[in-house]
Amino acid sequence: MPAATRVRALEAAVELLGAEGVRALSHARVDRRAGLAPGSTSNWFRTRRALLAGVVDWIAASERDDFDPGAMPAITGPEGLIEGLCAMTELQSGAFAARTRARYALFLELADDPELGEPLRRQRREFERWTESIVTAAGIQDPVPATRALMALGDGLLLHRLTVDPDLDMRPAIERAVRALASS
């Protein structure tokens, strides 16, 4: 079975998780969503746990590829930070909405499974360090708590947009937070 089938299965699993939640994830449903022959997904991922592990790794790798710090423009002040955070939250709730929903669902589902959830938590820590470097470059004092506050705000805004108000204008909240942190 070519690797392209594995990729199709993982992409379909993320879409399924993002649309219907963790309980909907099964080999047969992934096969159907991906348009694969029955049993194709189980050839790559023998158990549900293996499928979950594959999806967790896939999401983490996809986010590293999509948000490569080396490919991002340099941010040197609060205005750049506002623009960057707005762009990031728009992508996470727009083009990558299914993946964002899947990631949140997996974070909740795997909260008590340190081994299976570790790739997502590791990715989160890497993203936090990267964001901290951007917050520092933007000239915000005390970057560690500032980063945590901005990331919590971003998570809240994303969750609200993905679950309650798909038209939420996130910019005012981001602007207010960045300006408050920059002036302190």
Side-chain angles (χ1 to χ4, degrees), residues 103-119:
R103 179 174 19 89
Y104 284 148
L106 288 167
F107 265 129
L108 293 171
E109 179 72 17
L110 303 176
D112 294 329
D113 190 330
E115 178 187 346
L116 203 52
E118 180 53 27

Side-chain angles (χ1 to χ4, degrees), residues 28-165:
R29 292 188 79 186
V30 170
D31 286 341
R32 280 193 302 275
R33 185 169 281 254
L36 298 171
S40 297
T41 299
S42 65
N43 285 332
W44 285 100
F45 308 101
R46 289 288 184 205
T47 64
R48 186 170 193 277
R49 184 170 176 82
L51 179 57
L52 282 167
V55 171
V56 165
D57 288 338
W58 178 258
I59 288 172
S62 297
E63 288 182 341
R64 280 191 302 275
D65 290 346
D66 290 331
F67 299 112
D68 174 17
M72 300 290 169
I75 293 176
T76 57
E79 293 304 317
L81 181 56
I82 291 167
E83 292 304 319
L85 291 173
C86 287
M88 179 74 70
T89 54
E90 286 295 329
L91 279 171
Q92 293 285 10
S93 62
F96 302 132
R99 184 174 70 196
T100 301
R101 283 196 235 18
R103 179 174 19 89
Y104 284 148
L106 288 167
F107 265 129
L108 293 171
E109 179 72 17
L110 303 176
D112 294 329
D113 190 330
E115 178 187 346
L116 203 52
E118 180 53 27
L120 285 175
R121 286 188 291 279
R122 184 175 48 249
Q123 176 67 12
R124 176 67 180 206
R125 290 188 301 271
E126 289 175 22
F127 188 67
E128 189 172 323
R129 283 190 293 276
W130 175 55
T131 304
E132 185 181 324
S133 70
I134 293 169
V135 167
T136 301
I140 293 178
Q141 301 298 310
D142 216 0
V144 172
T147 298
R148 289 186 181 142
L150 289 172
M151 290 184 71
L153 172 66
D155 282 334
L157 291 170
L158 283 170
L159 188 60
H160 189 78
R161 188 181 244 194
L162 292 171
T163 60
V164 176
D165 182 2

